[in-house]
Amino acid sequence: MKLGIVGLPNVGKSTLFNSLTKAGAESANYPFCTIDPNIGVVAVPDERLKLLGDMYHSKKVTPAVIEFVDIAGLVKGASKGEGLGNQFLSNIREVDAIVHVVRCFEDSNVVHVDGSVDPLRDIETINLELIFADLEVLERRIAKVAKTARMDKTAAKELAFLERIKAQLESGKPAKTVEVQDEDELALMREFNLLTYKPVIYAANVGEDDLANDGASNPMVADVKRLAEGEHSEVFVICAQIEQEISELEDEEKAMFLEDLGLAESGLEKLIRASYRILGLMSFLTAGEDETRAWTIKIGTKAPQAAGKIHSDFERGFIKAEVVNYRDLLEQGSLAAAREKGLVGMEGKDYVVKDGDVILFRFNV
């Protein structure tokens, strides 16, 4: 999973990236301090792995990972190459979802590129640049398809779909608000790789005082939440500065620090949950003496395809999946004990994998 962190200059984007990845991207109070995208790989916190790893005395415990890309700051005109727009657009095309950091705090010491703090205006600025970039892509495609549309029914259908998307973008709405009518249109939409079709998670960056109540008394956060709800996006509240302090602590200190702040979880944990939800993802587990590991798959994945995440041979030669829920396995203390209690199922190729399943695949190639 690859998430692109975007936002206008000086909204706390690089500070958030630093805290999430501890990658040390330069962070300063001026635009474009992030010139090349910084990339950091973050382990997905998962207590199940540690418990299973301890039970099996695993030599290796391997969590699922998320790749974060800190993408250069954006200004009006980026779609036409203003600021660092060209780099921004090429880097954002490669991500699975967009984490859009919006500033929801006042601070006279941190200048705003537009002179005042207004998260909805900031969101609109970036969204318009993405729409302009998508319109350019569509216009090139329309010019190409129009040549054959008169003689070819498939091309004619694609052209009609392209025109529908274009009309939606020209009205200021993202591509993801276009109603896709069949599998052909869905396949085309994915092929176009439009920026405004990508899922969005808004990170409402607040001051420390607003963090404990999740920004409930901050009207700017309320505005962002309303907007996110209307476009089926995710939103979470974070204080990038506090998150950076948390990232420098050891695990035990981190837990105490969060408790002192009245927080149940860190911003990273909030973001990971939001990204799994919006991308429709979950994890199944494999466990043993050599390695205990989490594997990220789409919700609704069947057993053979889940096996294919481990190795293509597992999918090709799939016979059965031996499946037990991780809680049952931990309670019984071993797979053999779970088998005796009838808690282990032998599942076939139609079995839909569930979050927290511990699976042993049987295959023959």
Side-chain angles (χ1 to χ4, degrees):
M1 185 184 352
K2 186 185 274 194
L3 303 180
I5 302 181
V6 306
L8 288 173
N10 299 344
V11 296
K13 180 176 63 71
S14 290
T15 305
L16 176 59
F17 173 81
N18 289 349
S19 63
L20 294 178
T21 64
K22 299 183 185 175
E26 183 188 356
S27 176
N29 181 22
Y30 57 88
F32 309 135
C33 62
T34 311
I35 293 174
D36 294 312
N38 292 273
I39 296 173
V41 177
V42 177
V44 175
D46 191 338
E47 192 189 14
R48 302 172 302 187
L49 283 179
K50 183 185 183 308
L51 295 171
L52 287 168
D54 288 348
M55 189 185 96
Y56 276 97
H57 305 292
S58 304
K59 293 171 190 163
K60 192 175 168 188
V61 175
T62 308
V65 295
I66 295 179
E67 191 172 309
F68 287 105
V69 185
D70 182 19
I71 295 167
L74 182 65
V75 292
K76 284 174 188 169
S79 59
K80 304 294 180 195
E82 293 291 324
L84 295 169
N86 293 331
Q87 290 100 309
F88 173 92
L89 295 169
S90 62
N91 294 325
I92 200 171
R93 286 200 193 280
E94 298 169 10
V95 302
D96 299 307
I98 295 167
V99 180
H100 187 160
V101 184
V102 286
R103 179 172 163 181
C104 296
F105 67 90
E106 298 280 359
D107 186 342
S108 57
N109 295 317
V110 182
V111 297
H112 190 287
V113 73
D114 286 330
S116 62
V117 179
D118 181 346
L120 295 187
R121 179 201 59 211
D122 293 356
I123 288 168
E124 186 181 28
T125 296
I126 285 189
N127 284 351
L128 281 174
E129 294 308 319
L130 300 184
I131 283 171
F132 292 147
D134 281 349
L135 280 168
E136 275 190 37
V137 170
L138 285 179
E139 280 159 7
R140 286 198 299 271
R141 183 93 175 200
I142 286 168
K144 184 180 173 186
V145 174
K147 292 174 185 173
T148 55
R150 289 178 192 168
M151 309 290 291
D152 184 323
K153 282 185 181 177
T154 305
K157 187 181 176 185
E158 181 180 341
L159 183 60
F161 184 46
L162 286 163
E163 294 287 5
R164 267 179 33 227
I165 302 170
K166 186 184 174 194
Q168 193 83 329
L169 293 175
E170 286 175 338
S171 71
K173 293 176 181 171
K176 63 185 166 196
T177 61
V178 174
E179 281 193 35
V180 176
Q181 294 173 354
D182 56 32
E183 288 296 322
D184 291 342
E185 287 191 353
L186 182 60
L188 281 170
M189 184 67 98
R190 287 173 175 160
E191 184 190 331
F192 299 153
N193 194 24
L194 298 174
L195 302 178
T196 62
Y197 188 65
K198 291 183 185 293
V200 174
I201 304 162
Y202 292 107
N205 188 15
V206 300
E208 185 179 342
D209 295 343
D210 282 327
L211 198 55
N213 68 358
D214 208 37
S217 56
N218 184 321
M220 290 186 277
V221 172
D223 286 344
V224 175
K225 284 184 174 177
R226 266 194 302 275
L227 177 82
E229 191 176 345
E231 60 181 42
H232 306 296
S233 295
E234 290 279 343
V235 60
F236 72 104
V237 175
I238 196 165
C239 174
Q241 209 61 53
I242 289 291
E243 203 63 25
Q244 192 158 33
E245 289 177 37
I246 291 171
S247 73
E248 289 158 9
L249 301 173
E250 297 299 325
D251 285 349
E252 278 185 30
E253 293 174 311
K254 197 179 293 185
M256 288 168 61
F257 187 60
L258 286 170
E259 196 177 324
D260 288 346
L261 290 169
L263 302 175
E265 59 186 350
S266 69
L268 173 61
E269 288 163 323
K270 284 185 190 176
L271 174 52
I272 287 170
R273 278 197 297 107
S275 59
Y276 269 65
R277 271 197 309 272
I278 206 163
L279 291 169
L281 300 174
M282 64 176 205
S283 295
F284 75 91
L285 312 164
T286 52
E289 196 178 311
D290 284 337
E291 184 181 37
T292 291
R293 182 165 179 166
W295 304 87
T296 304
I297 55 171
K298 284 268 187 192
I299 291 169
T301 300
K302 292 185 176 179
Q305 288 69 50
K309 285 288 287 186
I310 300 173
H311 198 287
S312 57
D313 283 351
F314 284 29
E315 182 175 357
R316 195 157 48 89
F318 177 86
I319 300 171
K320 290 279 181 189
E322 202 168 358
V323 182
V324 58
N325 179 272
Y326 81 96
R327 285 195 191 92
D328 292 337
L329 181 56
L330 288 168
E331 278 173 18
Q332 298 306 317
S334 73
L335 189 61
R339 276 197 200 104
E340 279 179 26
K341 289 282 177 73
L343 297 170
V344 181
M346 290 298 283
E347 306 293 351
K349 63 181 189 320
D350 291 327
Y351 176 72
V352 177
V353 176
K354 299 181 187 70
D355 187 60
D357 278 349
V358 181
I359 306 181
L360 177 64
F361 291 107
R362 304 204 177 280
F363 69 102
N364 182 32
V365 177

